[in-house]
């Protein structure tokens, strides 16, 4: 199944015709409904919604660069 290639709690670039008007967005693999890959969903960041992985085309993993840590505005 498609979810076998996903990593739990990882972030991915994805797009869907059903969500965000087909624009590229970041989703997170969620195990909130169960640890078995059959129960994984994609958390839609910036919302309180989850979607099924097959509703999205996964473009690739989101890579965070350790070289340039994100700094808080107050720093």
């Amino acid at each position: 199944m498609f979810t076998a290639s996903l990593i739990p709690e990882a972030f991915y670039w994805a797009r869907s015709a059903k969500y965000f008007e087909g624009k590229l967005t970041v989703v997170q693999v969620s195990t909130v409904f169960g640890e078995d890959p059959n129960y994984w969903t994609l958390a839609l960041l910036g919302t309180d919604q989850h979607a099924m992985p097959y509703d999205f085309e996964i473009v690739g993993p989101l890579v965070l660069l350790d070289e340039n840590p994100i700094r808080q505005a107050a720093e």
Side-chain angles (χ1 to χ4, degrees):
M1 182 178 199
F2 162 71
T3 55
S5 63
L6 298 176
I7 298 169
E9 307 307 322
F11 294 91
Y12 291 90
W13 288 105
R15 72 171 51 99
S16 170
K18 291 176 73 175
Y19 300 94
F20 306 110
E21 301 172 352
K23 296 178 184 170
L24 196 60
T25 190
V26 175
V27 295
Q28 182 180 22
V29 178
S30 173
T31 59
V32 71
F33 298 108
E35 294 294 325
D36 186 286
N38 291 323
Y39 295 104
W40 291 356
T41 59
L42 297 178
L44 308 180
L45 301 185
T47 75
D48 61 351
Q49 298 179 347
H50 286 77
M52 297 307 295
Y54 56 75
D55 287 335
F56 280 81
E57 170 195 359
I58 301 296
V59 176
L62 177 69
V63 179
L64 297 175
L65 301 176
D66 291 334
E67 304 168 359
N68 300 315
I70 299 172
R71 297 180 62 182
Q72 297 296 324
E75 290 185 277

